[in-house]
Amino acid sequence: MKTQNNPLKNLIASNLYARYSGILSLSDIALFLADTSGEILLEFIPSPDFCTKVCMERGGRVCPDYSSRFQPGGEGSFVCRHGLENILIPIKIEDEILGYIGGMQVYLPETEYQKYMIDVQSLQDEKSAELEFIAKAISSLKTIEQNKISIHEQLCGHIAKNISLDLTESVNNTDSDVARLSIEKEILEKKIIDLEAKNMSLVINPHFLFNTLNCIARIAYFEHSHTTEELIYCLSDLLRYNLKQDDQLHTIGSEIDNIEKYLYIQKVRFKNRLEYDIDIPDKIRSYRIPNMVIQPIVENALIHGITPKRDGGKISIFAEEQKNGIVISILDNGNGFSKEILDKIRNSEKVQQTENKSGLGIWSTDNRLKRYYGDGYGLEIVKSDYSGSTVTITIPTQSNGR
């Protein structure tokens, strides 16, 4: 099929990116749409500079490592000549390939060493690019854990499948196809929520874990006390809670108990530089909320608000029942968000593309809440300035599944 007749371009004209903007927040790894000639029609998530400005052909075309696989049996995961992990998934109507979803372009931890073996001088001679630019582009290539790559592969597969369904519907234009597409869309959205919740519950900040273990080791060395025992139990409970997969909705009480253990551990680490108080009425503790939506806000308040201050600060968490639902407030008297991060958080389209993990986590939390309860609920940054930040989470009181 000739490129000018490719219905993929009609889909792009109908704002294809907007259809998948929600699920794209699950990843910040490269993902693009290309036609069968190798022309990149749309970048859902931008590729790294090394791939776009050093490896790819001029005129917005994929690199030879991709184009050489534009044939039956060439699709799937593969490693390029520079050791980067990649994926290529065909978009089909019946047996005809109309284009491809491609992406990843990252290293695994065990293959990261290969980027230091790239022949920069040869690339400079071949591409007529500045040596310094090539070196910086190589150093900025990402290294990603296997579990995140697996989730990204599923994301690519879902988008490719649903674009194929969109194209089939536009060609056949029958009521049965429209109904099937709607069902597939609902299944996709449900699976994405499941993947996101599973991924967030499995992840714990490694710096926090290592700092805590070091703290325990120092205390154990200098004193044999109940503090050491309490720290170990708190950390054990915290890790066990993060690994729970039995229910997507947890009680607010269990979420708060988990956060209390987290703050206790941090209090031992920061001593008098950290104070906190938590006031959640017993009535509210029985309501249910998606797991791991409060902790990212508390962790952000500590890392970006309290930690940079020489004298530390205080984090307060309280909840109240209002007319529009239950409002959980997280306050700190830290330095507040920087203007750059605040702008990205308040602009969801930018947050999906930013590499700032804090902004991405906050937007993703808001998105999860809206998926569960509707657009009238979610996360709001009420205040953020030099005197501190206030972030609220609002959920409904009715149909909460208590």
Side-chain angles (χ1 to χ4, degrees), residues 5-38:
N5 296 325
N6 195 330
L8 279 173
K9 291 192 174 182
N10 294 330
L11 273 182
I12 294 172
S14 65
N15 201 5
L16 181 63
Y17 178 86
R19 299 190 191 187
Y20 300 102
S21 59
I23 61 175
L24 289 172
S25 66
L26 289 174
S27 182
D28 59 353
I29 309 173
L31 195 158
F32 60 84
L33 170 67
D35 65 17
T36 52
S37 72

Side-chain angles (χ1 to χ4, degrees), residues 210-266:
F210 293 140
N211 287 334
T212 302
L213 292 175
N214 287 336
C215 182
I216 293 174
R218 287 196 300 270
I219 293 174
Y221 181 81
F222 288 111
E223 62 177 72
H224 298 284
S225 69
H226 294 296
T227 303
T228 306
E229 183 181 16
E230 187 66 21
L231 271 173
I232 294 173
Y233 281 132
C234 282
L235 181 59
S236 176
D237 290 344
L238 190 64
L239 293 173
R240 187 180 299 112
Y241 185 84
N242 286 339
L243 292 172
K244 285 177 66 175
Q245 295 294 314
D246 57 345
D247 189 7
Q248 291 182 343
L249 289 175
H250 293 188
T251 64
I252 292 176
S254 63
E255 285 286 297
I256 293 299
D257 288 343
N258 189 56
I259 289 168
E260 284 187 291
K261 291 180 175 67
Y262 170 80
L263 287 174
Y264 174 83
I265 292 172
Q266 295 288 22

Side-chain angles (χ1 to χ4, degrees), residues 273-322:
R273 293 188 60 239
L274 172 64
E275 299 294 335
Y276 65 90
D277 65 74
I278 300 175
D279 183 14
I280 309 292
D282 291 339
K283 178 183 177 181
I284 291 178
R285 285 176 175 264
S286 62
Y287 284 95
R288 293 186 174 272
I289 194 170
N291 66 318
M292 297 297 288
V293 296
I294 304 176
Q295 179 160 331
I297 313 305
V298 175
E299 187 171 353
N300 181 81
L302 177 66
I303 294 174
H304 299 286
I306 304 301
T307 302
K309 293 186 66 174
R310 179 178 179 180
D311 297 329
K314 183 177 182 179
I315 296 174
S316 299
I317 306 170
F318 66 88
E320 56 185 342
E321 191 171 343
Q322 300 181 355

Side-chain angles (χ1 to χ4, degrees), residues 320-327 377 394-398:
E320 56 185 342
E321 191 171 343
Q322 300 181 355
K323 291 183 179 180
N324 61 331
I326 294 170
V327 179
Y377 302 93
T394 304
I395 61 174
T397 53
Q398 298 180 351

Side-chain angles (χ1 to χ4, degrees), residues 8 21 43-44 75 91 99 110 141 150 244 275 287 290 326:
L8 279 173
S21 59
E43 280 195 312
F44 291 98
E75 65 271 7
I91 296 170
E110 58 266 28
L141 290 169
S150 298
K244 285 177 66 175
E275 299 294 335
Y287 284 95
I326 294 170

